[in-house]
Amino acid sequence: MADDNTRAALFMLIGSSAFAVNDTFLKLLGAELSAFQILAMRGAIVTALFGVLVWRSRITFAQLNSSDRRFLLLRSGAEAMAAYFFFNALFNMPLANVTAILQVVPLSVALAAWLFLREPLGWRRLSAILIGFCGVLIIVRPGGADFGAPSVFALLTVVMVTIRDLSTRVMTKTVPSSLVACTTSLGVTLFGLAGAMTEIWVLPSPVAFGWLAGTVVFSFIGYYLIVLAMRTGELTFVAPFRYAGLLAALMLGWFILDEWPDTLTFVGGGIVVLTGVYALYRERQHKLRIAAATGASGG
């Protein structure tokens, strides 16, 4: 398991960094194209790629049970809205700020799972979650001069991603990851096409086509490696390495986008990361205690 965890940590580190590169390309692309057009164009290519994987798995949407179909549709809708909100936040905020806010997602998912799925949550993890949310408030600073629609879009992204991840959690394990990814990507693409119909389409420049290709490649790499990481190692060991994406976003924002967060953003981001790591540590300890108790009772 140690070797598996090492490989999984490497997959997570590279995958999270790949998403930061993808977000950098998206931010550059936003100078030429609208969010809807990007969703439609990128989504069509990514859906085709995942469609090949679905074809190879020989499992279709129609073969799923009714409960899995409903949750898959809910996941697709939540992902479409999350992508739209994220793009609008990304185009108007520093990359590192948006990335730091999204680091609270593991905490929001744990809280939502406790509230709606009755998953256990001790007072220490609950306290860490609440402190993590305080870190997000430090970043967005409600009522401050910098607080506006982009900050609201970033927070709405967290809500939508939480719904997406929660719906994924309640699906049965028999639903292939490729089908989940393809259906979700198709939903995002259709949402983008519907929105783009209300706009005048812009022909991207050759450079913008390069950025678009970059988003396709790095988003595909990021998704694949993160799924591989989750299936290779222990979740509680691997998950903290996702915070490498925040460091990558910070460096890319500095070198490529000429962005550098202010001190309060660093403070808030640090709080979010530290509480996230602590919450994962407490979850790991909880699972080890359960395993030990089960082993003792079985012996």
Side-chain angles (χ1 to χ4, degrees):
M1 178 58 75
D3 289 340
D4 287 342
N5 280 340
T6 300
R7 288 197 302 272
L10 183 61
F11 293 150
M12 178 63 77
L13 191 151
I14 297 174
S16 299
S17 299
F19 273 123
V21 177
N22 166 71
D23 295 344
T24 304
F25 281 124
L26 284 175
K27 194 170 178 68
L28 293 169
L29 196 56
E32 286 197 29
L33 305 179
S34 71
F36 283 128
Q37 190 171 345
I38 296 173
L39 287 173
M41 295 178 67
R42 188 188 69 164
I45 302 172
V46 173
T47 302
L49 293 174
F50 282 124
V52 174
L53 298 180
V54 171
W55 175 77
R56 293 181 62 186
S57 73
R58 306 296 182 182
I59 299 178
T60 65
F61 181 81
Q63 292 174 282
L64 304 179
N65 62 52
S66 58
S67 177
D68 282 337
R69 287 200 297 267
R70 285 196 299 270
F71 285 122
L72 195 49
L73 290 174
L74 175 62
R75 187 187 196 280
S76 299
E79 177 71 6
M81 296 305 300
Y84 177 75
F85 290 141
F86 173 73
F87 282 14
N88 280 281
L90 183 66
F91 295 165
N92 297 283
M93 292 177 67
L95 172 62
N97 289 43
V98 181
T99 306
I101 293 171
L102 291 183
Q103 301 310 306
V104 81
V105 166
L107 300 177
S108 64
V109 170
L111 181 61
W114 175 61
L115 291 172
F116 301 108
L117 302 182
R118 299 187 182 279
E119 293 189 5
L121 186 66
W123 70 268
R124 291 182 180 87
R125 286 178 64 203
L126 181 59
S127 299
I129 290 170
L130 296 178
I131 294 172
F133 287 153
C134 291
V136 172
L137 292 177
I138 292 175
I139 298 172
V140 299
R141 277 156 270 173
D146 295 331
F147 184 78
S151 299
V152 175
F153 284 136
L155 296 175
L156 288 174
T157 303
V158 171
V159 174
M160 291 297 111
V161 172
T162 301
I163 295 173
R164 179 201 70 187
D165 288 358
L166 213 61
S167 60
T168 307
R169 184 172 295 192
V170 295
M171 289 183 207
T172 59
K173 302 297 183 181
T174 56
V175 183
S177 298
S178 57
L179 182 58
V180 173
C182 185
T183 305
T184 302
S185 181
L186 178 60
V188 172
T189 304
L190 294 176
F191 177 76
L193 283 172
M197 293 300 179
T198 65
E199 303 172 337
I200 298 176
W201 277 64
V202 177
L203 180 65
S205 66
V207 173
F209 268 119
W211 293 333
L212 181 63
T215 67
V216 172
V217 171
F218 281 95
S219 63
F220 189 86
I221 291 173
Y223 181 86
Y224 179 77
L225 288 180
I226 286 178
V227 170
L228 195 60
M230 294 297 188
R231 292 189 166 184
T232 302
E234 297 174 276
L235 177 61
T236 50
F237 178 86
V238 172
F241 289 91
R242 74 189 298 274
Y243 295 115
L246 178 56
L247 179 61
L250 185 65
M251 294 296 99
L252 289 166
W254 182 26
F255 285 114
I256 297 178
L257 304 174
D258 195 25
E259 299 174 345
W260 190 252
D262 58 24
T263 302
L264 284 178
T265 298
F266 274 108
V267 172
I271 291 173
V272 171
V273 170
L274 290 175
T275 53
V277 172
Y278 177 76
L280 288 166
Y281 167 76
R282 291 302 308 175
E283 181 181 356
R284 181 180 176 83
Q285 294 300 107
H286 176 70
K287 289 182 177 179
L288 288 175
R289 285 196 298 270
I290 291 177
T294 302
S297 63

Coordinates of all heavy atoms in Angstrom, one line a residue, residues 122-194:
G122 N -17.2 14.4 13.6 CA -16.9 14.7 14.9 C -16.7 16.2 15.1 O -16.6 17.0 14.2
W123 N -16.7 16.6 16.4 CA -16.6 18.1 16.7 C -15.3 18.7 16.2 O -15.3 19.9 15.8 CB -16.9 18.3 18.2 CG -15.7 17.9 19.1 CD1 -15.6 16.7 19.7 CD2 -14.6 18.7 19.4 NE1 -14.4 16.6 20.4 CE2 -13.8 17.9 20.3 CE3 -14.2 20.0 19.2 CZ2 -12.6 18.3 20.9 CZ3 -13.0 20.4 19.7 CH2 -12.2 19.6 20.5
R124 N -14.2 17.9 16.2 CA -13.0 18.5 15.7 C -13.0 18.8 14.2 O -12.6 19.9 13.8 CB -11.8 17.5 16.0 CG -11.5 17.4 17.5 CD -10.3 16.4 17.7 NE -10.0 16.2 19.1 CZ -10.6 15.3 19.9 NH1 -11.5 14.5 19.5 NH2 -10.2 15.3 21.2
R125 N -13.5 17.9 13.4 CA -13.6 18.1 12.0 C -14.6 19.2 11.7 O -14.4 20.0 10.8 CB -14.0 16.8 11.3 CG -12.9 15.8 11.1 CD -13.4 14.5 10.5 NE -13.8 14.8 9.1 CZ -14.6 14.1 8.4 NH1 -15.2 13.0 8.9 NH2 -14.9 14.4 7.1
L126 N -15.7 19.2 12.5 CA -16.7 20.3 12.3 C -16.1 21.6 12.6 O -16.3 22.6 11.9 CB -17.9 20.0 13.2 CG -19.1 21.0 13.0 CD1 -19.6 21.1 11.6 CD2 -20.2 20.6 14.0
S127 N -15.3 21.7 13.6 CA -14.7 23.0 14.0 C -13.7 23.4 12.9 O -13.6 24.6 12.5 CB -13.9 22.8 15.3 OG -14.8 22.5 16.4
A128 N -12.9 22.4 12.3 CA -12.0 22.7 11.3 C -12.7 23.2 10.0 O -12.3 24.2 9.4 CB -11.2 21.5 10.9
I129 N -13.9 22.7 9.7 CA -14.7 23.1 8.6 C -15.1 24.5 8.8 O -15.0 25.4 7.9 CB -15.9 22.2 8.4 CG1 -15.4 20.8 7.9 CG2 -16.9 22.8 7.4 CD1 -16.5 19.8 7.9
L130 N -15.6 24.9 10.0 CA -16.1 26.2 10.2 C -15.0 27.2 10.2 O -15.1 28.3 9.6 CB -16.8 26.3 11.6 CG -18.1 25.4 11.7 CD1 -18.6 25.5 13.2 CD2 -19.1 25.9 10.7
I131 N -13.8 26.9 10.7 CA -12.6 27.7 10.6 C -12.2 27.9 9.1 O -11.8 29.0 8.7 CB -11.5 27.2 11.4 CG1 -11.8 27.2 12.9 CG2 -10.2 28.0 11.2 CD1 -10.8 26.5 13.8
G132 N -12.3 26.8 8.3 CA -12.0 26.9 6.9 C -12.9 27.9 6.2 O -12.4 28.6 5.3
F133 N -14.2 27.9 6.5 CA -15.1 28.8 5.9 C -14.7 30.2 6.3 O -14.9 31.2 5.5 CB -16.5 28.5 6.4 CG -17.1 27.3 5.7 CD1 -18.1 26.5 6.3 CD2 -16.6 26.8 4.5 CE1 -18.6 25.4 5.7 CE2 -17.2 25.7 3.9 CZ -18.1 25.0 4.5
C134 N -14.2 30.4 7.5 CA -13.8 31.8 7.9 C -12.6 32.2 7.0 O -12.5 33.4 6.7 CB -13.3 31.8 9.4 SG -14.7 31.6 10.6
G135 N -11.7 31.2 6.7 CA -10.6 31.5 5.8 C -11.2 32.0 4.4 O -10.6 33.0 3.8
V136 N -12.2 31.4 3.9 CA -12.8 31.9 2.7 C -13.4 33.3 2.8 O -13.2 34.1 1.9 CB -14.0 30.9 2.2 CG1 -14.7 31.4 1.0 CG2 -13.4 29.5 1.9
L137 N -14.0 33.6 3.9 CA -14.5 34.9 4.2 C -13.4 36.0 4.2 O -13.6 37.1 3.7 CB -15.3 35.0 5.5 CG -16.6 34.2 5.5 CD1 -17.2 34.3 6.9 CD2 -17.6 34.7 4.5
I138 N -12.2 35.6 4.7 CA -11.1 36.5 4.6 C -10.6 36.8 3.2 O -10.3 37.9 2.9 CB -9.9 35.9 5.4 CG1 -10.2 35.8 6.9 CG2 -8.6 36.7 5.2 CD1 -9.2 35.1 7.8
I139 N -10.8 35.7 2.3 CA -10.4 35.9 0.9 C -11.3 36.8 0.2 O -10.9 37.8 -0.5 CB -10.3 34.6 0.2 CG1 -9.2 33.7 0.9 CG2 -9.9 34.8 -1.3 CD1 -9.2 32.3 0.4
V140 N -12.6 36.6 0.4 CA -13.6 37.3 -0.4 C -14.0 38.6 0.2 O -14.5 39.6 -0.4 CB -14.9 36.5 -0.7 CG1 -14.6 35.2 -1.4 CG2 -15.6 36.1 0.6
R141 N -13.9 38.7 1.6 CA -14.1 39.9 2.3 C -15.5 40.6 2.0 O -15.6 41.6 1.3 CB -13.0 41.0 2.1 CG -11.8 40.8 3.0 CD -10.6 41.3 2.4 NE -9.9 40.3 1.5 CZ -8.8 40.6 0.8 NH1 -8.4 41.8 0.7 NH2 -8.2 39.7 0.1
P142 N -16.6 40.0 2.4 CA -17.9 40.5 2.1 C -18.0 42.0 2.7 O -17.6 42.2 3.8 CB -18.9 39.6 2.9 CG -18.1 38.3 3.0 CD -16.7 38.7 3.1
G143 N -18.6 42.8 1.9 CA -18.7 44.2 2.3 C -17.5 45.1 2.1 O -17.6 46.3 2.2
G144 N -16.4 44.5 1.6 CA -15.2 45.2 1.3 C -15.2 45.8 -0.1 O -16.1 45.5 -0.9
A145 N -14.2 46.6 -0.4 CA -14.2 47.3 -1.7 C -14.0 46.3 -2.8 O -14.5 46.6 -3.9 CB -13.1 48.3 -1.7
D146 N -13.4 45.2 -2.6 CA -13.1 44.2 -3.6 C -14.2 43.2 -3.8 O -14.1 42.3 -4.7 CB -11.7 43.5 -3.4 CG -10.6 44.5 -3.5 OD1 -10.7 45.5 -4.2 OD2 -9.6 44.2 -2.8
F147 N -15.2 43.2 -2.9 CA -16.2 42.2 -3.0 C -17.3 42.6 -4.0 O -17.7 43.8 -4.0 CB -16.9 42.1 -1.6 CG -18.0 41.0 -1.6 CD1 -17.6 39.6 -1.5 CD2 -19.3 41.3 -1.7 CE1 -18.5 38.6 -1.5 CE2 -20.3 40.3 -1.7 CZ -19.9 39.0 -1.5
G148 N -17.6 41.7 -4.9 CA -18.6 42.0 -6.0 C -19.0 40.7 -6.6 O -18.9 39.6 -6.0
A149 N -19.6 40.8 -7.8 CA -20.1 39.7 -8.5 C -19.1 38.6 -8.7 O -19.4 37.4 -8.5 CB -20.7 40.1 -9.9
P150 N -17.8 38.9 -9.1 CA -16.9 37.7 -9.2 C -16.7 36.9 -7.9 O -16.6 35.7 -8.0 CB -15.6 38.5 -9.5 CG -16.0 39.7 -10.2 CD -17.2 40.1 -9.5
S151 N -16.7 37.6 -6.8 CA -16.6 36.8 -5.5 C -17.8 36.0 -5.3 O -17.7 34.8 -4.8 CB -16.4 37.8 -4.3 OG -15.3 38.6 -4.5
V152 N -19.0 36.5 -5.6 CA -20.2 35.7 -5.5 C -20.2 34.5 -6.5 O -20.6 33.4 -6.1 CB -21.5 36.6 -5.8 CG1 -22.7 35.8 -5.8 CG2 -21.6 37.7 -4.8
F153 N -19.7 34.7 -7.7 CA -19.6 33.6 -8.7 C -18.7 32.5 -8.1 O -18.9 31.3 -8.3 CB -19.0 34.1 -10.0 CG -20.0 34.9 -10.8 CD1 -19.7 36.1 -11.5 CD2 -21.3 34.4 -11.0 CE1 -20.6 36.7 -12.2 CE2 -22.3 35.1 -11.7 CZ -21.9 36.2 -12.4
A154 N -17.6 32.9 -7.4 CA -16.7 31.9 -6.9 C -17.3 31.1 -5.8 O -17.2 29.9 -5.7 CB -15.4 32.6 -6.3
L155 N -18.1 31.8 -4.9 CA -18.8 31.1 -3.9 C -19.9 30.2 -4.4 O -20.1 29.1 -3.9 CB -19.4 32.1 -2.9 CG -18.4 33.0 -2.1 CD1 -19.2 34.0 -1.3 CD2 -17.6 32.1 -1.2
L156 N -20.6 30.6 -5.5 CA -21.6 29.8 -6.1 C -21.0 28.6 -6.8 O -21.6 27.5 -6.8 CB -22.4 30.6 -7.2 CG -23.4 31.6 -6.6 CD1 -23.9 32.5 -7.8 CD2 -24.5 31.0 -5.8
T157 N -19.7 28.7 -7.3 CA -19.0 27.6 -7.8 C -18.8 26.5 -6.7 O -19.0 25.3 -7.0 CB -17.6 28.0 -8.4 OG1 -17.8 29.0 -9.3 CG2 -16.9 26.9 -9.0
V158 N -18.4 27.0 -5.5 CA -18.3 26.0 -4.4 C -19.6 25.3 -4.1 O -19.6 24.0 -3.9 CB -17.8 26.8 -3.2 CG1 -17.8 25.8 -1.9 CG2 -16.4 27.3 -3.4
V159 N -20.7 26.0 -4.1 CA -22.0 25.3 -3.9 C -22.3 24.3 -5.0 O -22.7 23.1 -4.7 CB -23.1 26.4 -3.9 CG1 -24.5 25.7 -3.7 CG2 -22.9 27.4 -2.7
M160 N -22.1 24.6 -6.2 CA -22.4 23.7 -7.3 C -21.5 22.5 -7.3 O -21.9 21.4 -7.6 CB -22.3 24.5 -8.7 CG -23.4 25.5 -8.9 SD -25.0 24.7 -9.0 CE -25.8 25.4 -7.5
V161 N -20.2 22.7 -7.1 CA -19.2 21.6 -7.0 C -19.6 20.7 -5.9 O -19.4 19.5 -6.0 CB -17.8 22.2 -6.9 CG1 -16.8 21.0 -6.7 CG2 -17.4 22.9 -8.2
T162 N -20.0 21.3 -4.7 CA -20.4 20.4 -3.6 C -21.6 19.5 -4.0 O -21.6 18.3 -3.7 CB -20.8 21.3 -2.4 OG1 -19.7 22.1 -2.1 CG2 -21.2 20.5 -1.2
I163 N -22.6 20.1 -4.7 CA -23.7 19.3 -5.2 C -23.3 18.2 -6.1 O -23.7 17.1 -6.1 CB -24.8 20.2 -5.8 CG1 -25.4 21.2 -4.8 CG2 -25.9 19.4 -6.5 CD1 -26.3 22.2 -5.4
R164 N -22.3 18.6 -7.0 CA -21.8 17.6 -8.0 C -21.1 16.5 -7.3 O -21.4 15.3 -7.6 CB -20.8 18.3 -8.9 CG -20.1 17.4 -9.9 CD -18.8 18.0 -10.4 NE -17.8 18.0 -9.4 CZ -16.6 18.6 -9.5 NH1 -16.3 19.3 -10.6 NH2 -15.7 18.5 -8.5
D165 N -20.3 16.8 -6.3 CA -19.5 15.7 -5.6 C -20.4 14.9 -4.7 O -20.2 13.7 -4.6 CB -18.4 16.3 -4.8 CG -17.2 16.9 -5.6 OD1 -17.3 16.7 -6.9 OD2 -16.3 17.4 -5.1
L166 N -21.4 15.5 -4.1 CA -22.4 14.8 -3.3 C -23.2 13.8 -4.1 O -23.4 12.7 -3.7 CB -23.3 15.7 -2.5 CG -23.7 15.3 -1.1 CD1 -22.5 15.2 -0.2 CD2 -24.7 16.4 -0.6
S167 N -23.6 14.2 -5.3 CA -24.4 13.4 -6.2 C -23.5 12.2 -6.7 O -24.0 11.1 -6.9 CB -25.0 14.1 -7.4 OG -23.9 14.7 -8.1
T168 N -22.2 12.5 -6.9 CA -21.3 11.4 -7.3 C -21.2 10.4 -6.2 O -21.1 9.2 -6.4 CB -19.9 12.0 -7.6 OG1 -20.1 13.0 -8.6 CG2 -19.0 10.9 -8.2
R169 N -21.1 10.8 -4.9 CA -20.9 9.9 -3.8 C -22.1 9.0 -3.6 O -21.9 7.8 -3.2 CB -20.7 10.8 -2.5 CG -20.4 10.0 -1.3 CD -20.1 10.8 -0.1 NE -18.8 11.6 -0.3 CZ -18.2 12.2 0.6 NH1 -18.6 12.3 1.9 NH2 -17.1 12.9 0.3
V170 N -23.3 9.4 -4.0 CA -24.5 8.5 -3.7 C -24.7 7.6 -4.9 O -25.6 6.7 -4.8 CB -25.7 9.3 -3.4 CG1 -25.5 10.1 -2.1 CG2 -26.0 10.3 -4.5
M171 N -24.0 7.7 -6.0 CA -24.2 6.7 -7.1 C -23.6 5.4 -6.7 O -22.7 5.3 -5.9 CB -23.4 7.2 -8.3 CG -24.1 8.4 -9.0 SD -23.1 8.8 -10.5 CE -23.5 10.5 -10.7
T172 N -24.1 4.3 -7.3 CA -23.5 3.0 -7.0 C -22.2 2.9 -7.7 O -21.9 3.6 -8.7 CB -24.5 1.9 -7.6 OG1 -24.6 2.1 -9.0 CG2 -25.8 2.0 -6.9
K173 N -21.3 2.0 -7.2 CA -20.0 1.9 -7.6 C -19.9 1.3 -9.0 O -18.8 1.3 -9.7 CB -19.2 1.0 -6.7 CG -19.1 1.5 -5.2 CD -18.4 2.9 -5.2 CE -18.3 3.4 -3.7 NZ -17.6 4.7 -3.6
T174 N -21.0 0.7 -9.5 CA -21.0 0.1 -10.8 C -21.0 1.1 -12.0 O -20.8 0.7 -13.1 CB -22.2 -0.9 -10.9 OG1 -23.4 -0.1 -10.7 CG2 -22.1 -2.0 -9.9
V175 N -21.3 2.3 -11.7 CA -21.3 3.3 -12.8 C -19.9 3.7 -13.2 O -19.1 4.2 -12.4 CB -22.0 4.6 -12.3 CG1 -22.1 5.6 -13.5 CG2 -23.4 4.3 -11.8
P176 N -19.5 3.4 -14.4 CA -18.1 3.7 -14.8 C -17.8 5.1 -14.8 O -18.6 6.0 -15.1 CB -18.1 3.2 -16.3 CG -19.3 2.3 -16.5 CD -20.3 2.8 -15.5
S177 N -16.5 5.4 -14.4 CA -16.1 6.8 -14.3 C -16.1 7.5 -15.7 O -16.4 8.7 -15.8 CB -14.6 6.8 -13.8 OG -14.5 6.3 -12.5
S178 N -15.9 6.7 -16.8 CA -15.9 7.2 -18.1 C -17.3 7.7 -18.5 O -17.5 8.8 -19.1 CB -15.4 6.2 -19.1 OG -16.2 5.0 -19.1
L179 N -18.3 7.0 -18.0 CA -19.7 7.4 -18.3 C -20.1 8.6 -17.5 O -20.8 9.5 -18.0 CB -20.7 6.2 -18.0 CG -22.1 6.4 -18.3 CD1 -22.4 6.8 -19.8 CD2 -23.0 5.2 -17.9
V180 N -19.6 8.7 -16.3 CA -19.9 9.9 -15.5 C -19.3 11.1 -16.1 O -19.9 12.1 -16.3 CB -19.3 9.7 -14.0 CG1 -19.5 11.0 -13.2 CG2 -20.1 8.5 -13.3
A181 N -18.0 10.9 -16.5 CA -17.3 12.1 -17.1 C -17.9 12.5 -18.5 O -18.1 13.7 -18.7 CB -15.8 11.7 -17.4
C182 N -18.3 11.5 -19.3 CA -18.9 11.8 -20.6 C -20.2 12.5 -20.5 O -20.5 13.5 -21.2 CB -19.0 10.5 -21.4 SG -19.5 10.8 -23.1
T183 N -21.1 11.9 -19.6 CA -22.4 12.5 -19.4 C -22.3 13.9 -18.9 O -23.1 14.8 -19.3 CB -23.3 11.6 -18.5 OG1 -23.3 10.3 -19.0 CG2 -24.7 12.1 -18.3
T184 N -21.4 14.1 -17.9 CA -21.3 15.4 -17.3 C -20.7 16.4 -18.4 O -21.2 17.6 -18.5 CB -20.3 15.4 -16.2 OG1 -20.8 14.5 -15.2 CG2 -20.1 16.7 -15.5
S185 N -19.8 16.0 -19.2 CA -19.2 16.8 -20.2 C -20.3 17.2 -21.3 O -20.3 18.3 -21.8 CB -18.0 16.2 -20.9 OG -17.4 17.0 -21.9
L186 N -21.1 16.2 -21.6 CA -22.2 16.5 -22.6 C -23.2 17.5 -22.0 O -23.6 18.4 -22.7 CB -22.9 15.2 -22.9 CG -24.1 15.3 -23.8 CD1 -23.6 15.8 -25.2 CD2 -24.8 13.9 -24.0
G187 N -23.5 17.4 -20.7 CA -24.4 18.4 -20.1 C -23.8 19.8 -20.2 O -24.5 20.8 -20.5
V188 N -22.5 19.9 -19.9 CA -21.8 21.2 -19.9 C -21.9 21.7 -21.3 O -22.1 22.9 -21.6 CB -20.4 21.1 -19.4 CG1 -19.6 22.4 -19.6 CG2 -20.4 20.7 -17.9
T189 N -21.6 20.9 -22.3 CA -21.6 21.3 -23.7 C -22.9 21.8 -24.2 O -23.0 22.9 -24.8 CB -21.1 20.1 -24.6 OG1 -19.9 19.6 -24.2 CG2 -21.0 20.6 -26.1
L190 N -24.0 21.1 -23.8 CA -25.3 21.5 -24.2 C -25.7 22.8 -23.6 O -26.3 23.7 -24.2 CB -26.3 20.4 -23.9 CG -26.2 19.1 -24.6 CD1 -27.2 18.1 -24.1 CD2 -26.4 19.3 -26.1
F191 N -25.3 23.0 -22.3 CA -25.6 24.2 -21.6 C -24.8 25.4 -22.3 O -25.4 26.5 -22.5 CB -25.1 24.1 -20.1 CG -25.2 25.4 -19.3 CD1 -26.5 25.8 -18.9 CD2 -24.1 26.1 -19.0 CE1 -26.6 27.0 -18.1 CE2 -24.2 27.3 -18.3 CZ -25.5 27.7 -17.8
G192 N -23.6 25.1 -22.7 CA -22.8 26.2 -23.4 C -23.4 26.5 -24.7 O -23.4 27.7 -25.1
L193 N -23.8 25.5 -25.4 CA -24.5 25.8 -26.8 C -25.7 26.6 -26.6 O -26.0 27.5 -27.4 CB -24.8 24.4 -27.4 CG -23.6 23.7 -28.1 CD1 -24.0 22.3 -28.5 CD2 -23.0 24.5 -29.3
A194 N -26.5 26.3 -25.6 CA -27.8 27.0 -25.4 C -27.5 28.5 -25.1 O -28.2 29.4 -25.6 CB -28.6 26.4 -24.2

